[in-house]
Amino acid sequence: MANFETPELQETVEIPALKKGVMSHSRPFVSKEQFQAPLGFPGELADDWKDVAIAKLGELLKTNRALQVFMDSCVKCGACTDKCHYFLGTSDPRNMPVARQDLLRGVYRRYYTLPGKYFPKLVGATDLTEEVMDQWYSYFHQCSECRRCSVYCPYGIDTAEITMATRDIMNAVGKGQKYSNEIIGKVFKIGNNLGLPQPALEDTLLGLEEDVKDETGIDVRFPLDEKGAEVLVVTPSADFFAEPHIDGLIGYAKVFHAAGISWTLSSHASEAANFGLFIGSNENMKKIAMRIREAALDLGVKRIIFGECGHAWRVAYSYLNTLAGPFDFLDPRYPVPQHICEFTHDLIQRGVITLDKSRNDHRRVTFHDSCNVARASRMGDMPGGQFVIPREVIKAACNHFYDMAPETIGEATFCCGGGGGLLTDDLMELRVKGALPRMSALKQVVEEHEVTHMAAICAICKSQFSKVLPYYGFQMDQIISVHQLVSDAIVLDAQQ
Amino acid sequence: MFVTVLFALLFYVATAIFLVGLGMRIARYARTPAPLKIPTTPAPTTRGGVVVRMGTEVLLFNSLFKANKWIWLFGFMFHVALALVLLRHLRYFLDPVPTWVVLIQPFGMYAAFAMVIGLAGLWARRVFVERIRYISSPSDHLMLALLLGIALTGLGMTYLWHTDISAVKLFFTGLMRFELNPLPTQPLLLLHLFLVASLMVIFPFSKLLHAPGVFFSPTRNQVDNPREKRHVANVKWMIAVEKPAASADQ
Amino acid sequence: MPIEAGGKTYETDEEGYLADLNDWNPDLATAMAKADGADLDENHWEVINFLREYYEEYQIAPAVRVLTKAIGKKLGPEKGNSKYLYELFPYGPAKQACKYAGLPKPTGCV
């Protein structure tokens, strides 16, 4: 299947020599009318697409300060040029953040600045042509919106914002990406990314209750649509479907059981992820976010907690209050929303739940900081709590924890290679190559500390690594959910 | 006299373009809504914290330091030197000259060398580092040439071909009172002044907008408190009456 | 890219998944497998048939865990694990087996 070479793992992050255009062939399937329409986008390029695109750019410049400031402020200093995992993995210079930005900035300069109007060559301004649009489609689908470049930019220019804006422009002229748009349509129609209808969800959850009963002898519940529960849990639908995600879901259920706090899932909001973020469509992002408010009101819950999902946590933590707030109908003693790690961490701290670390003694664990949790959100009260709290949870659940190299974790963490709407089979080459920096860092802790498992708190990271680990000589089941560790260590009543 | 009138006009026009252009740009940044909370985290959770963060960015180039020590070194050297040199030049515009401006004169003089070294270092990287060469357009080289030209002509006047600096001061203090005093016609001075005026004209239309831009950058100037305080902005998609998600079913 | 089986041509999407679920027949599954260089034996068919039954009832492919449990019950506990399923369907039971069964591809973060 693979018609590309998996890169060699490296000792430290190496900056490759440029290979121009080597990834220009990489582009995801284009969306069709049937997937465009439910999102309010045209199905195909109209004759006047250029005018529409330029007008859309103008509208975004007027309504998004970040875009306007970022278009103007870049001085081409080069600080970001070696920061993108896709550049490090592919060597294509267009995957350097500034070069990616310049694909849009050139058009911005041409149509919205004086020098670009009169001296285009001098300032790198370009006409919007079909060729430029093709480059947009290719390279703005080689950015996982991970924000690593924004950490290092002296002006805080975030390529993710520019990628989102360009994808929004492309959707406005009918050139959408099939993967993201088909999924958003399913969320509107069925309630989640998978297209998992209520009866199937119910059956899956009943099956999990049986499994946990068989395994522990205890009736741990997985409630669905239960009015009057204390907590609404919103989790990625991958948690109902895929490995190792589902073991994390079992972990959440055991934590609620052990803490004696009633909870429920919702079939109306059976998805934490909000792909509206990926395509830069605020309208769709808002619409998707509103489901969560509706579910919380309908079920009469007092708290909202999000499961392990990276971009979902960004939208939940940073945007939910804006998009679907205010949440004055919820219990004001708790932040809205909370992350499952915050919840579990608090219970561990207060001694409400007990973990037996030795049950994870067969594992030596490291932790992958998911990009959007790391650089676009927080947990707890302290800046940087998003790094501390998941690690505290892991360390409370197992005896052997080892961090990867400091330049590859925390705010400097590398994306898994599949974020931002790129977790699709038609981008396999990009996904494998983009995982190179993370895989290299993993190899180092495997060699130094005999690490056996990498834990993560993001559905995309988990799926991406399950798929990509084997390309680099690891096993697909070396990626696990943080709450899988909790699940295996937690002491439930009948076992005491 | 022709030269005096020409440069007087040049500086009036350049100053007008600089102030109006920059003012309009800043107004635009200030007016444009930032609809969502997008600070690059970990970020400060208070206004005071944001002031400190912005301070370390603007005064110490904190993020750049994390990114690349060479670019930081040359960039920092250039900017600090430029600041000193600009402050030193206040003596040609203020009468009487404030004591602190007198005190920084010697530092300002040497800073010009640091400025040249910083610019040369940045230019060398732009030429010799493959990645930075790839992202450079002609204007990026011209901007460095312009700044270097200003620095070198200034140094030339300080150390090699002195000009009648008190006459220059009379010219500029006169301009500020709308009086014309004769400007010395030494070519190096005229070149220096011409390049400076060009820089002022280019400023509001070029990447030099990074100077005001950094203060408006949402990833750096936003407080990380979205759960505690609901962030709202006046944009169409946010305030529009939403249709319930279910209505998208058909 | 349409696929041919039993003398008839069927529409598929870009990735070879059947466009219309109702078009499915066993010959089609065999033809799809052949195109991937694989032969379907009875163990494959157990999985494919289960997927189709599950889809019939729930309009979605089963979770990997549901699938492994069902296969474990049918073929014995030593086969009720995802390793075994990956041996049968190296490109992933959820995706490759769904394709042969004529089901749409599971989407999302999976």
Side-chain angles (χ1 to χ4, degrees):
Chain A
M1 203 137 146
N3 49 3
F4 58 90
E5 268 183 55
T6 305
E8 295 256 346
L9 291 174
Q10 304 163 344
E11 293 282 312
T12 52
V13 177
E14 285 169 32
I15 305 167
L18 307 186
K19 290 185 199 139
K20 284 181 199 170
V22 288
M23 287 301 281
S24 60
H25 64 278
S26 174
R27 56 191 59 198
F29 295 132
V30 178
S31 182
K32 294 195 185 94
E33 165 104 57
Q34 64 185 115
F35 306 127
Q36 292 287 93
L39 282 64
F41 300 136
E44 54 183 23
L45 285 190
D47 289 338
D48 63 343
W49 70 269
K50 277 180 210 173
D51 300 332
V52 175
I54 291 160
K56 180 76 185 174
L57 172 59
E59 178 200 319
L60 292 177
L61 288 165
K62 282 204 186 89
T63 52
N64 182 354
R65 182 187 295 162
L67 184 66
Q68 176 65 64
V69 170
F70 295 166
M71 282 294 106
D72 281 343
S73 295
C74 178
V75 300
K76 318 292 165 85
C77 72
C80 63
T81 52
D82 57 350
K83 301 298 184 274
C84 176
H85 53 287
Y86 290 122
F87 170 67
L88 295 172
T90 66
S91 313
D92 190 319
R94 276 284 165 216
N95 280 330
M96 299 190 296
V98 45
R100 191 185 319 283
Q101 294 165 19
D102 278 351
L103 290 173
L104 182 66
R105 191 176 282 118
V107 172
Y108 162 72
R109 285 193 166 162
R110 183 78 179 104
Y111 297 95
Y112 289 99
T113 71
L114 280 181
K117 270 178 198 152
Y118 299 112
F119 317 101
K121 287 238 168 67
L122 187 71
V123 295
T126 42
D127 285 317
L128 180 57
T129 59
E130 247 166 87
E131 200 190 347
V132 168
M133 174 67 92
D134 283 346
Q135 280 198 312
W136 281 5
Y137 194 75
S138 177
Y139 288 104
F140 285 111
H141 289 108
Q142 300 190 41
C143 166
S144 58
E145 303 173 350
C146 85
R147 314 191 93 197
R148 192 168 193 268
C149 47
S150 87
V151 171
Y152 299 99
C153 174
Y155 318 109
I157 298 173
D158 180 7
T159 311
E161 289 294 316
I162 294 165
T163 294
M164 290 169 193
T166 314
R167 290 185 189 173
D168 200 20
I169 296 168
M170 289 192 284
N171 267 320
V173 299
K175 187 140 176 160
Q177 182 216 25
K178 181 188 170 197
Y179 172 74
S180 295
N181 293 4
E182 180 182 13
I183 283 172
I184 293 173
K186 283 190 184 176
V187 172
F188 290 149
K189 208 166 162 191
I190 304 168
N192 53 63
N193 289 1
L194 267 170
L196 188 74
Q198 195 271 347
L201 177 55
E202 201 176 338
D203 176 68
T204 306
L205 295 174
L206 282 175
L208 291 178
E209 287 183 0
E210 279 174 28
D211 291 356
V212 178
K213 174 92 177 171
D214 288 349
E215 184 201 332
T216 64
I218 294 168
D219 288 305
V220 172
R221 299 209 48 235
F222 290 75
L224 179 66
D225 294 330
E226 287 195 358
K227 290 201 180 196
E230 164 103 8
V231 178
L232 167 65
V233 172
V234 185
T235 206
S237 58
D239 280 4
F240 308 126
F241 192 83
E243 315 276 344
H245 311 60
I246 208 160
D247 297 293
L249 175 64
I250 294 171
Y252 319 154
K254 287 184 182 173
V255 170
F256 280 105
H257 177 90
I261 297 172
S262 69
W263 67 293
T264 185
L265 294 156
S266 156
S267 57
H268 179 56
S270 48
E271 176 65 61
N274 191 327
F275 276 30
L277 175 80
F278 297 163
I279 62 168
S281 169
N282 292 324
E283 289 87 350
N284 281 294
M285 190 160 68
K286 183 174 168 69
K287 218 152 105 184
I288 296 167
M290 284 306 287
R291 291 154 44 254
I292 293 162
R293 180 189 179 86
E294 289 152 12
L297 280 168
D298 183 44
L299 295 169
V301 296
K302 299 193 183 74
R303 304 165 68 177
I304 301 174
I305 294 180
F306 271 72
E308 299 182 1
C309 188
H311 302 75
W313 181 238
R314 173 183 192 168
V315 178
Y317 171 86
S318 293
Y319 304 165
L320 195 65
N321 204 1
T322 297
L323 297 173
F327 286 95
D328 40 16
F329 57 92
L330 297 174
D331 189 336
R333 289 176 298 166
Y334 304 99
V336 182
Q338 270 186 301
H339 194 281
I340 188 73
C341 285
E342 292 181 303
F343 177 69
T344 302
H345 180 247
D346 175 60
L347 294 171
I348 295 169
Q349 295 270 299
R350 292 193 285 120
V352 178
I353 58 171
T354 313
L355 302 179
D356 177 0
K357 292 188 195 192
S358 66
R359 293 187 194 166
N360 277 312
D361 273 352
H362 59 294
R363 295 186 169 116
R364 298 169 74 82
V365 181
T366 191
F367 179 63
H368 164 77
D369 284 294
S370 296
C371 56
N372 273 259
V373 175
R375 291 183 285 257
S377 82
R378 172 161 58 98
M379 291 182 202
D381 298 330
M382 294 259 299
Q386 67 271 36
F387 309 131
V388 177
I389 287 176
R391 284 177 172 77
E392 288 298 316
V393 171
I394 294 172
K395 286 182 202 163
C398 70
N399 281 309
H400 310 294
F401 176 76
Y402 305 92
D403 255 324
M404 287 179 276
E407 67 275 16
T408 70
I409 59 168
E411 70 170 0
T413 191
F414 282 105
C415 163
C416 63
L422 308 182
L423 189 80
T424 174
D425 288 350
D426 33 328
L427 294 175
M428 211 54 220
E429 176 179 3
L430 180 76
R431 286 168 56 187
V432 169
K433 291 181 173 174
L436 174 69
R438 173 50 74 229
M439 292 293 101
S440 296
L442 175 63
K443 184 180 176 226
Q444 213 184 331
V445 281
V446 167
E447 283 175 357
E448 276 176 32
H449 301 292
E450 293 161 41
V451 160
T452 58
H453 291 86
M454 179 161 66
I457 47 171
C458 171
I460 287 179
C461 296
K462 293 172 201 172
S463 294
Q464 157 75 353
F465 287 133
S466 307
K467 193 95 176 193
V468 164
L469 280 165
Y471 282 86
Y472 288 97
F474 300 106
Q475 303 296 315
M476 65 180 294
D477 55 7
Q478 285 184 272
I479 175 74
I480 54 173
S481 301
V482 166
H483 272 77
Q484 181 175 352
L485 294 167
V486 175
S487 173
D488 289 353
I490 196 165
V491 180
L492 298 175
D493 32 13
Q495 295 171 318
Q496 280 169 347
Chain B
M1 196 56 200
F2 170 73
V3 168
T4 301
V5 173
L6 188 72
F7 272 77
L9 279 177
L10 180 65
F11 269 88
Y12 280 133
V13 170
T15 308
I17 291 176
F18 175 75
L19 290 179
V20 174
L22 197 59
M24 282 172 59
R25 214 64 199 162
I26 289 173
R28 180 172 188 140
Y29 294 159
R31 260 203 320 269
T32 308
L36 294 167
K37 280 276 191 176
I38 58 166
T40 307
T41 59
T45 54
T46 60
R47 265 278 137 217
V50 165
V51 171
V52 172
R53 180 185 206 176
M54 192 56 85
T56 60
E57 284 301 345
V58 173
L59 299 175
L60 301 174
F61 302 2
N62 188 32
S63 295
L64 185 58
F65 185 77
K66 279 192 260 188
N68 188 307
K69 301 293 184 279
W70 283 111
I71 304 177
W72 179 84
L73 180 70
F74 292 129
F76 189 72
M77 197 190 261
F78 160 65
H79 281 86
V80 170
L82 177 66
L84 276 171
V85 168
L86 281 175
L87 291 174
R88 186 185 87 80
H89 276 67
L90 284 177
R91 72 179 295 185
Y92 306 129
F93 299 88
L94 300 176
D95 205 20
V97 180
T99 318
W100 66 270
V101 176
V102 178
L103 287 175
I104 61 164
Q105 287 308 306
F107 301 101
M109 316 269 270
Y110 289 113
F113 290 104
M115 195 171 143
V116 169
I117 295 170
L119 286 169
L122 290 173
W123 207 346
R125 289 187 59 80
R126 202 170 281 296
V127 173
F128 295 114
V129 177
E130 191 189 21
R131 301 191 310 282
I132 307 183
R133 187 167 64 233
Y134 179 86
I135 58 168
S136 301
S137 54
S139 60
D140 298 311
H141 292 281
L142 283 177
M143 194 66 77
L144 285 166
L146 181 59
L147 288 164
L148 210 51
I150 292 171
L152 290 174
T153 49
L155 272 174
M157 281 183 284
T158 313
Y159 293 100
L160 299 174
W161 300 282
H162 297 287
T163 192
D164 182 355
I165 201 70
S166 17
V168 174
K169 178 163 182 171
L170 275 178
F171 172 78
F172 277 106
T173 48
L175 281 190
M176 290 192 284
R177 292 191 300 268
F178 298 100
E179 292 170 15
L180 275 191
N181 295 317
L183 181 70
T185 53
Q186 202 227 18
L188 208 54
L189 172 71
L190 297 184
L191 184 58
H192 184 73
L193 294 181
F194 175 74
L195 294 177
V196 169
S198 310
L199 189 71
M200 289 166 75
V201 170
I202 291 169
F203 200 110
F205 308 101
S206 69
K207 66 177 185 177
L208 299 178
L209 286 169
H210 69 278
V214 63
F215 294 99
F216 289 93
S217 178
T219 60
R220 294 293 183 267
N221 74 7
Q222 286 186 334
V223 181
D224 176 23
N225 61 354
R227 288 194 292 191
E228 293 79 7
K229 191 165 177 288
R230 184 165 184 241
H231 175 83
V232 281
N234 186 14
V235 283
K236 196 177 65 191
W237 62 264
M238 202 185 288
I239 52 178
V241 181
E242 57 263 350
K243 291 181 288 179
S247 73
D249 270 5
Q250 308 88 23
Chain C
M1 42 178 173
I3 185 157
E4 270 186 48
K8 280 177 77 178
T9 310
Y10 302 93
E11 272 306 309
T12 66
D13 71 6
E14 301 95 330
E15 292 164 275
Y17 290 79
L18 204 56
D20 185 350
L21 184 65
N22 300 315
D23 282 347
W24 189 85
N25 59 61
D27 291 344
L28 201 48
T30 314
M32 283 178 167
K34 211 167 220 158
D36 288 342
D39 281 322
L40 299 181
D41 64 22
E42 55 192 293
N43 293 328
H44 291 100
W45 282 109
E46 281 291 351
V47 174
I48 291 171
N49 290 332
F50 177 77
L51 288 177
R52 289 194 60 81
E53 283 163 27
Y54 192 95
Y55 191 92
E56 197 108 310
E57 185 168 356
Y58 292 112
Q59 301 305 303
I60 180 95
V64 177
R65 200 183 172 94
V66 172
L67 178 61
T68 50
K69 206 155 91 178
I71 296 303
K73 275 186 188 153
K74 280 194 175 153
L75 302 179
E78 75 283 357
K79 293 182 175 171
N81 56 61
S82 49
K83 260 213 169 83
Y84 172 73
L85 285 172
Y86 269 90
E87 278 166 28
L88 283 183
F89 299 100
Y91 300 139
K95 293 188 174 171
Q96 195 180 5
C98 281
K99 184 162 104 176
Y100 299 167
L103 273 45
K105 186 174 123 168
T107 54
C109 308
V110 294

